[in-house]
């Protein structure tokens, strides 16, 4: 495609006083599963129309979390992670958290559940606010384990780890470190030089060990088993091993010194030593009672993607509320999020699917998305093309931009749904390879009745083992096409040869309509 040089219209250029904020998660896996540099708006693909900047992708209006006790400083992180998950599960987590906080001698702590399937927990100043995700709650099997997570996070607050780091935007946690950067400079890479980064990682590792030790102390003082943290770290280790096997990462573990948080095995050994010093392990009867109590509380909890944010299944995205979907060919992967669907393709290609309000011309909307994507970088714009795709009026706008030493093809494909909403893809690929995105861009469509019927949310369903049930037979009831046995064992903390006793409660993931 012949590209022509064209300046941005003056009305669309960001003002000189614009300050960009980049908030990045480092998590173990999931929708926010890698460190994102703030170095380039092009590389990030983080820009979106202004109407999307303050709220989750598929919602309108102010963030719901603003009226639910979340500090203003946390709103962007909370809403970016899916918002809050309310109801009986959240009330239960707050109840356990209050007991842990009393044991720690802390007042004014608040405990929140995030509507995210990422396995994660974190805390952040100001004050004492602890966040856990639905994904982590699915992995937990006893109230002792839940209390250990909350105690660990309260330990970060009690030890003033954020203050000792002397970074206003530090968020510490079992599975994550959230770094906020506020800068006018595009050369943010200098901030994360290798020497500086390794220094931060080492310091964080010591913080994690300290928070683990405090968490074990709070467990014992609060009447919980001090072995809860040992069990919790073991569950995290099993989940990480399962995820590594599923994604083909066997044998590619990162060295302990290069991790934001220490290897789970290292922490288990230390936590076990602390637990032995704090008290005896729970009896079988006590452990069973704690498991039963916890599982009753999460029975019916949403699992995986929230239908309000759509579903990703393999290389297919469907949104039953908006009744739209698209599919990527082999070699691509999709990652669902609260504000966008991330897409990765061959040859380092990256893309994003998002949405916004459409109050004017669709071509102007596409230019606005492109302008916000490339920022102030010089760009060669190609001729826009108006077309019809999947029953939608569409505009495809190509460009070529420079990102450091790389020349990238950038394409925005925008679609009008006829009701004041627009959808769009933003894609990046090596120069001359933009066509690899054609199947994705051409696949957006309105869902058929059959697709709508198949797009059912998954939930945690607690069932009672009956005579003759085995891990093999029960795992066949899991609502997955693959790894049913492995998933069943992972979320229940079981081994393949473990016997099941009649009357024992276990977790399944099903498409049951019961919800909490």
């Amino acid at each position: 495609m012949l590209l022509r040089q064209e300046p941005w219209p003056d009305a669309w250029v960001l003002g000189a006083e614009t300050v960009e904020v980049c908030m990045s998660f480092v998590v173990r896996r999931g929708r926010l599963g890698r460190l994102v540099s703030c170095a380039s708006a092009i590389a990030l693909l983080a820009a979106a129309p202004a109407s999307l900047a303050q709220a989750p992708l598929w919602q309108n209006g102010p963030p719901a979390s603003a009226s639910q006790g979340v500090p203003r400083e946390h709103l962007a992180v909370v809403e970016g992670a899916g918002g809050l998950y309310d109801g009986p599960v959240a009330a239960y987590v707050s109840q356990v958290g209050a007991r842990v906080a009393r044991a720690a001698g802390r007042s004014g702590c608040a405990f929140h559940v995030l509507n995210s399937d990422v396995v994660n927990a974190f805390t952040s100043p100001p004050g004492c606010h602890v966040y856990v995700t639905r994904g982590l709650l699915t992995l937990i099997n006893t109230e002792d384990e839940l209390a250990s997570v909350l105690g660990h996070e309260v330990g970060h607050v009690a030890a003033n780890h954020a203050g000792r780091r002397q970074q206003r935007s530090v968020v510490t946690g079992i599975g994550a470190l959230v770094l906020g950067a506020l800068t006018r400079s595009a050369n943010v890479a200098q901030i994360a030089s290798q020497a500086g980064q390794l220094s931060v990682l080492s310091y964080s590792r010591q913080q994690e060990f300290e928070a683990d030790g405090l968490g074990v102390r709070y467990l014992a003082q609060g009447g919980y088993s001090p072995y809860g943290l040992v069990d919790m770290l073991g569950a995290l280790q099993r989940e990480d091993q399962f995820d590594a096997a599923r994604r083909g990462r066997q044998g590619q573990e990162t060295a302990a010194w290069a991790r934001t948080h220490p290897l789970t095995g290292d922490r288990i050994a230390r936590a076990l030593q602390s637990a032995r010093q704090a008290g005896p392990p729970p009896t079988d009867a006590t452990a069973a009672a704690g498991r039963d109590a916890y599982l009753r509380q999460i029975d019916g909890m949403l699992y995986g993607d929230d239908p309000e944010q759509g579903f990703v299944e393999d290389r297919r995205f469907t949104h039953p509320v908006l009744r739209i979907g698209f599919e990527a060919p082999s070699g691509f992967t999709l990652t669902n999020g609260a504000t966008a669907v991330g897409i990765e393709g061959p040859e380092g290609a990256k893309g994003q699917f998002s949405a916004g309000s459409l109050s004017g011309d669709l071509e102007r909307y596409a230019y606005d998305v492109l302008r916000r994507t490339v920022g102030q970088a010089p760009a060669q714009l190609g001729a826009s093309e108006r077309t019809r795709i999947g029953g939608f009026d569409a505009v495809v706008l190509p460009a070529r931009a420079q990102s450091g030493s790389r020349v990238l093809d950038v394409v925005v494909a925008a679609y009008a749904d006829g009701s004041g909403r627009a959808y769009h893809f933003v894609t990046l690929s090596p120069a001359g390879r933009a066509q690899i995105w054609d199947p994705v861009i051409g696949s957006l469509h309105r869902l058929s009745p059959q697709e709508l019927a198949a797009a059912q949310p998954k939930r945690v369903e607690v069932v009672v083992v009956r005579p003759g049930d085995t891990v093999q037979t029960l795992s066949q009831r899991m609502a997955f096409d693959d790894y049913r046995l492995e998933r069943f064992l992972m979320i229940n903390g079981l081994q393949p040869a473990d016997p099941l006793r009649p009357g024992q409660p276990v977790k399944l993931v099903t498409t049951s309509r019961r919800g909490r």
Side-chain angles (χ1 to χ4, degrees):
M1 181 176 295
L2 181 63
L3 299 176
R4 56 189 172 87
Q5 183 72 36
E6 181 175 319
W8 298 114
D10 291 341
W12 300 351
V13 175
L14 291 175
E17 297 303 315
T18 297
V19 178
E20 296 182 357
V21 178
C22 176
M23 183 69 74
S24 305
F25 278 83
V26 182
V27 299
R28 297 171 59 253
R29 70 173 185 87
R31 67 182 61 157
L32 300 169
R34 57 180 48 82
L35 176 64
V36 183
S37 168
C38 303
S40 168
I42 297 174
L44 277 173
L45 269 179
S51 60
L52 300 179
Q54 302 299 324
L57 174 60
W58 313 118
Q59 298 179 7
N60 295 313
S65 305
S67 61
Q68 298 174 10
V70 173
R72 176 179 55 83
E73 295 87 345
H74 299 178
L75 287 178
V77 175
V78 170
E79 296 305 323
L84 295 183
Y85 187 73
D86 296 319
V89 172
Y92 170 63
V93 170
S94 293
Q95 175 186 330
V96 175
R99 180 174 164 184
V100 171
R102 286 194 299 271
R106 305 290 304 186
S107 60
C109 289
F111 300 86
H112 312 279
V113 178
L114 294 179
N115 188 24
S116 168
D117 65 338
V118 175
V119 175
N120 198 7
F122 61 86
T123 186
S124 176
C128 178
H129 287 266
V130 175
Y131 301 89
V132 298
T133 62
R134 284 191 292 104
L136 184 58
L137 295 179
T138 301
L139 202 61
I140 291 172
N141 280 290
T142 69
E143 190 169 302
D144 292 332
E145 294 176 16
L146 173 60
S148 77
V149 172
L150 304 180
H152 173 98
E153 301 305 328
V154 172
H156 279 302
V157 177
N160 191 28
H161 285 160
R164 286 159 53 186
R165 289 286 298 275
Q166 297 182 346
Q167 292 185 18
R168 181 178 57 185
S169 299
V170 166
V171 179
T172 56
I174 281 182
L177 177 66
V178 180
L179 300 175
L182 182 61
T183 178
R184 294 172 184 262
S185 171
N187 193 20
V188 186
Q190 293 179 354
I191 299 174
S193 63
Q194 184 175 15
Q197 185 72 9
L198 291 178
S199 174
V200 169
L201 295 179
S202 176
Y203 193 40
S204 176
R205 184 163 61 248
Q206 295 306 314
Q207 288 181 334
E208 291 299 302
F209 287 140
E210 184 178 7
D212 284 347
L214 290 171
V216 170
R217 183 194 307 172
Y218 302 153
L219 287 173
Q221 292 173 344
Y224 290 109
S225 168
Y227 289 79
L229 182 61
V230 179
D231 296 335
M232 185 69 253
L233 293 176
L236 289 172
Q237 187 178 59
R238 288 190 297 272
E239 191 270 345
D240 192 57
Q241 291 168 347
F242 166 77
D243 190 60
R246 185 171 64 90
R247 295 173 181 264
R249 293 191 288 110
Q250 300 97 320
Q252 299 181 23
E253 287 295 325
T254 305
W257 57 267
R259 289 200 168 206
T260 305
H261 296 78
L263 288 172
T264 306
D266 298 339
R267 294 173 65 184
I268 289 176
R270 286 175 174 251
L272 181 59
Q273 181 180 9
S274 297
R276 286 170 174 166
Q277 295 171 351
T283 64
D284 290 344
T286 301
R291 180 184 178 90
D292 293 354
Y294 178 79
L295 295 184
R296 282 196 302 270
Q297 295 293 334
I298 66 164
D299 186 21
M301 183 178 67
L302 188 66
Y303 178 92
D305 291 334
D306 188 324
E308 294 293 329
Q309 299 171 9
F311 301 108
V312 167
E313 292 286 348
D314 195 16
R315 291 176 283 106
R316 182 181 297 108
F317 174 76
T318 56
H319 199 299
V321 177
L322 298 177
R323 302 190 173 209
I324 60 170
F326 68 86
E327 186 171 0
S330 178
F332 285 77
T333 60
L334 308 183
T335 304
N336 198 14
T339 58
V341 180
I343 313 171
E344 294 190 25
E347 304 178 44
K350 297 183 183 300
Q352 184 184 84
F353 178 74
S354 191
S357 299
L358 180 63
S359 58
D361 181 68
L362 184 62
E363 186 171 5
R364 172 64 180 263
Y365 177 95
Y367 272 104
D368 190 46
V369 172
L370 181 62
R371 186 266 303 176
R372 293 176 183 274
T373 300
V374 302
Q376 296 295 324
Q380 293 177 299
L381 303 185
S384 63
E385 176 187 0
R386 290 185 178 269
T387 184
R388 292 277 295 178
I389 297 176
F392 298 98
D393 289 331
V395 169
V396 180
L397 177 62
R400 181 161 291 175
Q402 189 88 18
S403 176
S405 61
R406 299 180 62 199
V407 178
L408 300 174
D409 281 350
V410 185
V411 176
V412 173
Y415 312 76
D417 74 349
S419 63
R421 184 188 296 270
Y423 308 109
H424 63 265
F425 290 99
V426 181
T427 70
L428 297 180
S429 53
R433 297 293 294 152
Q435 69 272 16
I436 64 176
W437 289 100
D438 289 350
V440 179
I441 291 172
S443 70
L444 186 70
H445 65 283
R446 301 186 190 276
L447 297 181
S448 67
Q450 293 78 11
E451 288 175 309
L452 280 172
Q456 297 296 326
K458 295 182 177 68
R459 296 190 180 274
V460 175
E461 182 178 0
V462 178
V463 300
V464 175
V465 174
R466 298 178 179 178
D469 283 340
T470 65
V471 294
Q472 287 77 17
T473 59
L474 286 172
S475 67
Q476 293 307 303
R477 297 167 59 182
M478 297 279 283
F480 298 97
D481 294 330
D482 59 2
Y483 297 101
R484 291 178 179 175
L485 175 60
E486 292 81 0
R487 295 178 196 270
F488 175 80
L489 295 173
M490 178 187 65
I491 65 173
N492 286 288
L494 297 171
Q495 297 297 324
D498 284 349
L500 300 179
R501 56 175 176 80
Q504 174 183 347
V506 294
K507 289 178 286 187
L508 298 176
V509 176
T510 70
T511 54
S512 168
R513 295 184 181 274
R514 296 183 300 113
R516 291 175 67 85

